[in-house]
Amino acid sequence: TGIGKCEHFRHTSRRCLDLRLMSSNTSAKTAARPGRTIAIMLVSIVALFAIAFIQGATAVKLGLDLRGGTSVTLQPRIAAGESGKVTSEAIDQAVSIIRQRVNSLGVAESEVSSQGSGVNRQIVISVPGDTGRRVVELVGQTAELRFRQVLVEGAANATSLTGDTATTTLPAGVTAEAAAKFATLDCSLATSRQAGGGDDANAQIVACDRGGGIKYVLSNAEVVGRDVSKATAAIDQQGAAGWYVSLSFNNDGTKKFGDITTRVVSLPTPQNQVAIVLDGLVVSAPRINEAIVSGNAQITGSFSQAEAQDLANVLKYGALPLAFDRGEVQQVSPTLGADQLQAGLLAGALGLFLVVVYSMLYYRGLGLVSVGSLGIAAALVYVLFLLLGHWIGFTLTLAGIAGAIVAIGITADSFIVYFERLRDEVREGRTLRSAVESGWLRARRTIIVADLVSLIAAALLYFFAVGGVRGFAFTLGLTTLVDLVVVFFFTKPLVTIMASRKFFNSGSAISGFSQKSLGIAPKTSTAKVGE
């Protein structure tokens, strides 16, 4: 605007000279920046790849639909007269707890969601990879933790509380209902040892141990899972106890556990034992040799490392509000996933190829900018997939590949907007160097607005959708941000550099700036009669 105003002054005006000098200095600075900007961009990409290599992120993590895995449906268990317990709030709480358990195990791209309505509402868990079945078995546990005093201990198939069938006197504190169930329960049967929780914390129960060798009558629960504030897996470094779970109680739990251990410590066996019951099965029933008032306890039971860690994880996030039965279990074949991955990559490669061919045929030499920018964008997206997979557990799904394919078109649109504005400026009579800057000033607003619309759509899809749609939205948003970075820090500087080359300024037929390419009719000379 300053130069335009300068035309109204005399050419020897001091103001005009100052304005032209300022314009010249600005152009010189602008010309010196493109190479440095591109160099910084390339060095940054190399640095990101180096970080990925150092951290061991050498392969993109694939989701359930691409690498195979396990999908299971959990159906709430409804006892007679208890249908009112299956509420939307209870299901949502269960989904939240299960998702926390899965995340605590480091399982990436797992999906935990609910479907259906009312009492028919189910929870669907999808876990990729070979560990899917183990995780599915873990997350379905209700994790109802109880500490109960042992009243009676007997053999797995015992039919009498005292071992003498002729004696009908009940041991102290044992109810007739518990005695009847003790006589009929056979812990040697696998069906009797199906953990599921649902036991009444305020009533006596008859329970089996995990191995099915011992049967117990247990008193009402005096300490429950909500009294636990912390749970961690550890190994006995000095003794032979192996792996165990260490528990810390909150203030209420510390008092309750101190009261029960103080009361039973002087009682005869087995009444001096406190059973640790998880989901209706006795994990262990240690004897209490002294009152424990410190608020810390241990669960032992010949655990493996995985079992101890799993138990600590489910206890850490609390009990599920409902008991669940495992419904349909589906295994997604890795072979099928590989076929889907190959098809997705083929579709992406074909789309990229068509964009490159179009750019080279229509924009000629200028199309090299499109090819280079697409290559930089692809490298940046790939290294971000590697790093995000390592940092936040991002995994690529078939829907994510679709988002990346859509992003090819978004990136191509940005190039086209800039190139067409640049060619418009040249048609209006500006030099190529001047058109590069003026065209960019007009095109960048359109590019930013268009990408902003894509980002808003991606954000709305991510926060309000579930399942694979979120993978599509995340990839779309990420690649749109990459498009902005590439256009600003690679495409525009590269065009600036190319505009300073004689090949593009000369109007060569393959430069993309010939009169034919720009749609400008060649000027023809005419001679007057008599000249």
Side-chain angles (χ1 to χ4, degrees):
T1 56
I3 297 297
K5 293 179 179 178
C6 186
E7 299 301 328
H8 296 287
F9 294 88
R10 293 170 53 184
H11 291 293
T12 57
S13 168
R14 179 68 179 173
R15 176 178 174 82
C16 289
L17 292 174
D18 290 344
L19 286 172
R20 286 187 179 129
L21 181 61
M22 181 178 68
S23 177
S24 176
N25 291 338
T26 302
S27 299
K29 290 180 180 179
T30 301
R33 291 172 182 167
R36 182 176 61 183
T37 302
I38 292 176
I40 293 174
M41 182 73 176
L42 295 177
V43 169
S44 300
I45 293 177
V46 172
L48 289 175
F49 272 104
I51 293 173
F53 179 78
I54 293 173
Q55 295 188 347
T58 56
V60 177
K61 293 183 178 181
L62 302 179
L64 177 68
D65 53 353
L66 297 180
R67 61 182 284 196
T70 307
S71 177
V72 67
T73 301
L74 299 180
Q75 179 68 47
R77 183 182 305 162
I78 305 174
E82 294 184 353
S83 59
K85 290 185 177 181
V86 185
T87 62
S88 297
E89 291 76 12
I91 293 291
D92 291 340
Q93 183 183 357
V95 168
S96 177
I97 293 173
I98 290 175
R99 185 177 291 121
Q100 287 177 316
R101 293 180 184 178
V102 175
N103 292 340
S104 70
L105 296 175
V107 180
E109 195 59 21
S110 58
E111 295 181 7
V112 182
S113 60
S114 62
Q115 62 181 22
S117 60
V119 296
N120 297 319
R121 200 170 176 191
Q122 301 172 325
I123 295 179
V124 180
I125 308 167
S126 299
V127 182
D130 298 333
T131 60
R133 184 169 294 277
R134 169 179 169 244
V135 174
V136 167
E137 291 176 352
L138 165 69
V139 297
Q141 295 181 17
T142 54
E144 292 179 342
L145 181 66
R146 314 278 197 242
F147 286 81
R148 298 174 179 266
Q149 180 189 0
V150 175
L151 300 180
V152 175
E153 179 183 84
N157 55 359
T159 58
S160 172
L161 294 173
T162 60
D164 184 0
T165 56
T167 302
T168 58
T169 303
L170 296 177
V174 178
T175 64
E177 182 181 357
K181 187 172 182 180
F182 184 90
T184 58
L185 181 64
D186 187 351
C187 289
S188 62
L189 301 177
T191 54
S192 300
R193 303 193 304 274
Q194 292 181 346
D199 55 301
D200 187 354
N202 298 315
Q204 292 182 10
I205 66 168
V206 179
C208 306
D209 71 338
R210 292 194 307 162
I214 305 175
K215 181 167 51 174
Y216 299 92
V217 176
L218 306 174
S219 69
N220 60 299
E222 299 183 52
V223 183
V224 295
R226 61 176 174 270
D227 296 320
V228 177
S229 60
K230 184 179 180 181
T232 56
I235 188 171
D236 186 358
Q237 300 289 350
Q238 299 179 350
W243 284 90
Y244 62 89
V245 176
S246 178
L247 300 177
S248 296
F249 298 105
N250 56 26
N251 291 336
D252 289 341
T254 298
K255 182 179 185 305
K256 293 176 184 178
F257 194 68
D259 291 342
I260 186 175
T261 54
T262 300
R263 191 183 71 251
V264 305
V265 67
S266 60
L267 298 178
T269 303
Q271 284 81 20
N272 63 347
Q273 298 173 228
V274 173
I276 303 169
V277 185
L278 180 67
D279 290 345
L281 288 179
V282 177
V283 177
S284 64
R287 290 184 178 86
I288 304 301
N289 297 319
E290 60 180 352
I292 302 174
V293 295
S294 62
N296 298 306
Q298 294 179 357
I299 301 178
T300 59
S302 301
F303 294 118
S304 65
Q305 179 179 356
E307 289 173 338
Q309 291 174 340
D310 290 349
L311 177 56
N313 280 328
V314 297
L315 293 176
K316 190 183 302 181
Y317 298 108
L320 297 179
L322 301 169
F324 291 89
D325 291 321
R326 186 181 307 169
E328 181 183 7
V329 178
Q330 294 181 340
Q331 291 290 125
V332 178
S333 169
T335 303
L336 177 61
D339 292 341
Q340 293 176 330
L341 176 61
Q342 184 177 4
L345 294 177
L346 179 61
L350 181 60
L352 187 62
F353 173 75
L354 292 176
V355 170
V356 169
V357 170
Y358 172 82
S359 298
M360 296 303 297
L361 291 178
Y362 188 75
Y363 291 108
R364 308 295 177 87
L366 190 59
L368 294 174
V369 178
S370 298
V371 176
S373 298
L374 286 171
I376 292 296
L380 193 54
V381 168
Y382 180 72
V383 73
L384 288 176
F385 282 173
L386 293 177
L387 291 173
L388 292 176
H390 181 75
W391 292 339
I392 64 173
F394 167 78
T395 54
L396 185 64
T397 63
L398 195 61
I401 291 179
I405 294 174
V406 171
I408 296 175
I410 294 176
T411 304
D413 283 345
S414 298
F415 303 155
I416 292 172
V417 168
Y418 181 32
F419 293 165
E420 289 302 319
R421 173 55 65 183
L422 171 60
R423 296 171 77 171
D424 285 344
E425 297 290 322
V426 174
R427 290 188 190 100
E428 292 176 3
R430 288 185 173 83
T431 64
L432 183 56
R433 285 191 178 185
S434 175
V436 166
E437 300 302 326
S438 59
W440 172 248
L441 291 176
R442 297 184 178 184
R444 67 183 180 185
R445 176 181 295 179
T446 304
I447 294 172
I448 292 173
V449 171
D451 283 350
L452 185 60
V453 170
S454 295
L455 286 173
I456 292 174
L460 291 175
L461 280 175
Y462 184 82
F463 287 108
F464 292 103
V466 296
V469 178
R470 298 188 72 191
F472 171 85
F474 184 88
T475 306
L476 179 62
L478 178 66
T479 49
T480 302
L481 289 174
V482 168
D483 171 51
L484 285 173
V485 171
V486 172
V487 168
F488 274 79
F489 298 101
F490 185 83
T491 304
K492 196 275 177 180
L494 183 58
V495 172
T496 301
I497 292 175
M498 294 175 68
S500 64
R501 299 296 184 265
K502 182 178 179 180
F503 171 76
F504 290 94
N505 280 280
S506 64
S508 171
I510 60 174
S511 67
F513 292 101
S514 65
Q515 289 185 342
K516 183 178 180 180
S517 298
L518 295 174
I520 301 175
K523 295 181 179 180
T524 57
S525 60
T526 58
K528 293 181 180 179
V529 177
E531 290 185 353

